[in-house]
Amino acid sequence: MQLHLITDGKKTKEELVAILCEVHESVDFIHVREKHRSANEVYELVDELIRSGVPPGKIIINDRVDVAHVLNVGGVQLAYHSLGVSEIRRNFPELRVGKSVHSYEEAIQAERDGADFILYGHIYSTSSKEGLIPKGLIELKRLTTSLKIPVIAIGGITPDKLQELRGSGAGGIAVMSGIMDANNNAHAAKAFQAALLAEKEEIE
């Protein structure tokens, strides 16, 4: 199972660079999801991350395919308002393409259009989605049994949930506040990494 870390759009550039440089060795992918920043600001942030030692292949940029392409990073994560998966796949074949989906139908369409993986959630209750009913494990399993591409679960995930998520077929987890808001970011990232390794060993 992969560990995707998603930035929360609340930190300064300096804070982000410090946190991400500290935790990148514990995660598989870092999603730069800074919707309030301009293309140029995202470019400057990611450029600094790369110059500070974060491998470009680990970086996935939310929505901004132009920045992802120019900096030659690992991929782009598309939302409902982004360009379509098939357009990105056709014009930027070198990029890994993820798609955020919230329904079974959207997920099936994303795979058909050529997405490499999908982010699906929220699986559990989370303060960032208050009042919205979580998708839950049954819906997650329905999706993972229908798709060939990895389904990355997001929403209210803690290290103790990994076993049931794996049992539901999740190809990985995406974490935001569980690492970004932790008192000790590196310690939190390592806790998720350790839980994932323990799960892997259990399978083997």
Side-chain angles (χ1 to χ4, degrees):
M1 282 173 82
Q2 298 171 347
L3 174 54
H4 293 238
L5 171 61
I6 302 182
T7 69
D8 58 10
K10 298 182 205 164
K11 310 278 189 291
T12 66
K13 180 181 163 191
E14 292 70 29
E15 286 171 329
L16 269 178
V17 171
I19 291 169
L20 298 176
C21 285
E22 203 179 17
V23 304
H24 79 83
E25 290 181 358
S26 300
V27 305
D28 296 298
F29 295 103
I30 292 168
H31 292 241
V32 177
R33 185 177 183 269
E34 300 288 300
K35 294 194 272 192
H36 64 295
R37 296 183 196 268
S38 67
N40 194 50
E41 287 170 327
V42 173
Y43 175 90
E44 287 177 355
L45 167 64
V46 175
D47 185 50
E48 191 166 331
L49 286 174
I50 293 167
R51 284 189 285 109
S52 301
V54 177
K58 272 193 175 186
I59 298 172
I60 292 174
I61 297 178
N62 189 269
D63 191 42
R64 301 297 324 207
V65 67
D66 48 354
V67 182
H69 174 66
V70 168
L71 285 169
N72 196 25
V73 296
V76 63
Q77 182 69 26
L78 304 175
Y80 67 92
H81 58 262
S82 303
L83 289 171
V85 172
S86 46
E87 283 76 27
I88 304 298
R89 172 65 60 234
R90 192 164 56 247
N91 292 290
F92 302 95
E94 80 285 0
L95 288 175
R96 181 185 282 107
V97 181
K99 173 83 183 196
S100 299
V101 301
H102 300 94
S103 73
Y104 183 85
E105 292 71 28
E106 282 178 46
I108 298 294
Q109 190 60 51
E111 181 177 69
R112 202 172 286 145
D113 290 344
D116 292 296
F117 65 92
I118 59 164
L119 242 61
Y120 178 70
H122 57 293
I123 303 300
Y124 302 100
S125 297
T126 167
S127 55
S128 65
K129 303 279 186 192
E130 262 181 76
L132 293 174
I133 297 166
K135 305 290 183 200
L137 295 170
I138 292 170
E139 279 301 305
L140 175 63
K141 184 149 195 177
R142 179 179 170 227
L143 208 52
T144 60
T145 50
S146 302
L147 296 181
K148 294 184 178 70
I149 58 174
V151 177
I152 311 300
I154 187 170
I157 294 170
T158 50
D160 61 330
K161 304 273 205 312
L162 296 187
Q163 193 170 5
E164 61 187 28
L165 286 165
R166 179 171 60 80
S168 300
I173 58 166
V175 179
M176 186 187 287
S177 57
I179 293 174
M180 296 303 295
D181 289 346
N183 293 327
N184 184 326
N185 310 105
H187 185 265
K190 283 190 172 81
F192 277 101
Q193 184 187 36
L196 284 165
L197 286 171
E199 274 299 300
K200 191 177 172 195
E201 283 163 14
E202 208 172 285
I203 301 166
E204 290 168 357

